[in-house]
DNA sequence: CAGGATCCCCTGCGATACTG
DNA sequence: CAGTATCGCAGGGGATCCTG
């Protein structure tokens, strides 16, 4: 979310518009990438979507992740309204994480990335 | 391109398939993200697409980028077959960078990210 | 159980030079 | 012009331990 100073001038002729247009592509894309890129975001989203709700449960389902990282990533996802955190007043406290309905809007993005990724791997390696 | 050890187990029941399915989403997505994420990839792709061909030309068109970074990123893009590097035997040598036709396959991905990014910014900030 | 605190490392990126 | 070399930092993320 610190995409502000990104002042890119991509126009052939340096007109006001080419500059602005460029921004209009780059800024949103970087916003989106900030949300889903990183090593753990996707694994976590998928884990939660598949029914892992409790902290330890999610942690165990994602090999090699540490509690510190999981904690931080879950907070990120929560501030982006992709994950909902619910605390139950039990003894000791229970916390449940679930995907918000909003998270579903990511599907098309993920699908586009996935499709491109699949064919790209073939393109680069296979032949 | 070092996405190998990514062994994620996202299934509720730990079946072979849930594991594999998960991989099938995460690996390609990470492949794709590796190609387009990072601070400079998009700006460079856009700059080149808009007609900036020469190294210095591209460099000047992207505020704050350094030659070192530009050089490295262009190599990355070249190995991913998104950019073509052509050396002309002039005095001194001239080098031209152009997007490959293949780079156009990224359009749908970028569009998806852009669209989601735009509405996400509204969702998070606006109201 | 759900996380925080600490320490530490590694890489991405910036600044500033310098070559063929 | 088209880059490479060197230095250096900051931050993301790992390992380990600790608390309410």
């Amino acid at each position: 979310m610190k995409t502000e100073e990104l002042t890119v001038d991509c126009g052939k002729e340096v007109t006001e518009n080419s500059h602005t247009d460029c921004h209009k592509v780059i800024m949103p894309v970087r916003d989106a990438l900030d949300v889903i890129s990183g090593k753990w975001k996707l694994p976590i989203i998928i884990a939660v979507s598949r029914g892992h709700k409790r902290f330890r449960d999610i942690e165990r389902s994602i090999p090699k992740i540490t509690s510190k990282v999981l904690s931080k990533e879950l907070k990120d996802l929560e501030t982006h309204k992709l994950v909902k955190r619910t605390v139950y007043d039990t003894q000791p406290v229970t916390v449940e994480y679930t995907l918000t309905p909003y998270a579903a809007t990511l599907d098309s993005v993920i699908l586009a990335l996935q499709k491109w990724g699949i064919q790209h791997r073939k393109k680069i390696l296979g032949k």
Side-chain angles (χ1 to χ4, degrees), chain A residues 106-119:
Chain A
L106 267 177
D107 286 356
S108 59
V109 176
I110 292 176
L111 193 66
L113 286 165
Q114 182 187 9
K115 283 179 60 176
W116 194 85
I118 288 172
Q119 68 77 34

Side-chain angles (χ1 to χ4, degrees), chain A residues 16 32 36 39 50 52 54 63 65 70 82 85 89 92-93:
Chain A
E16 291 301 319
I36 59 172
K39 189 169 180 179
R50 304 236 175 153
H52 297 284
R54 309 284 297 276
I65 198 169
L70 177 57
L82 297 173
R85 181 176 185 269
D89 212 5
V93 284

Side-chain angles (χ1 to χ4, degrees), chain A residues 55-70:
Chain A
F55 191 88
R56 287 286 171 202
D57 189 14
I58 300 171
E59 189 178 0
R60 270 191 304 269
S61 77
I62 305 175
K64 307 245 171 190
I65 198 169
T66 63
S67 52
K68 171 186 161 191
V69 170
L70 177 57

Side-chain angles (χ1 to χ4, degrees), chain A residues 5 8 13 20 24 32 37 44 52 57 59 62 64 68 70 75 77 80 82 84 104-105 107 117 120 123 125 127:
Chain A
E5 20 57 272
V8 186
E13 296 93 47
T20 308
K24 279 184 185 160
S37 70
I44 293 171
H52 297 284
D57 189 14
E59 189 178 0
I62 305 175
K64 307 245 171 190
K68 171 186 161 191
L70 177 57
K75 270 179 197 157
L77 293 173
H80 284 293
L82 297 173
K84 186 156 76 81
T105 63
D107 286 356
H120 183 61
K123 166 100 180 178
L125 302 179
K127 171 59 212 181

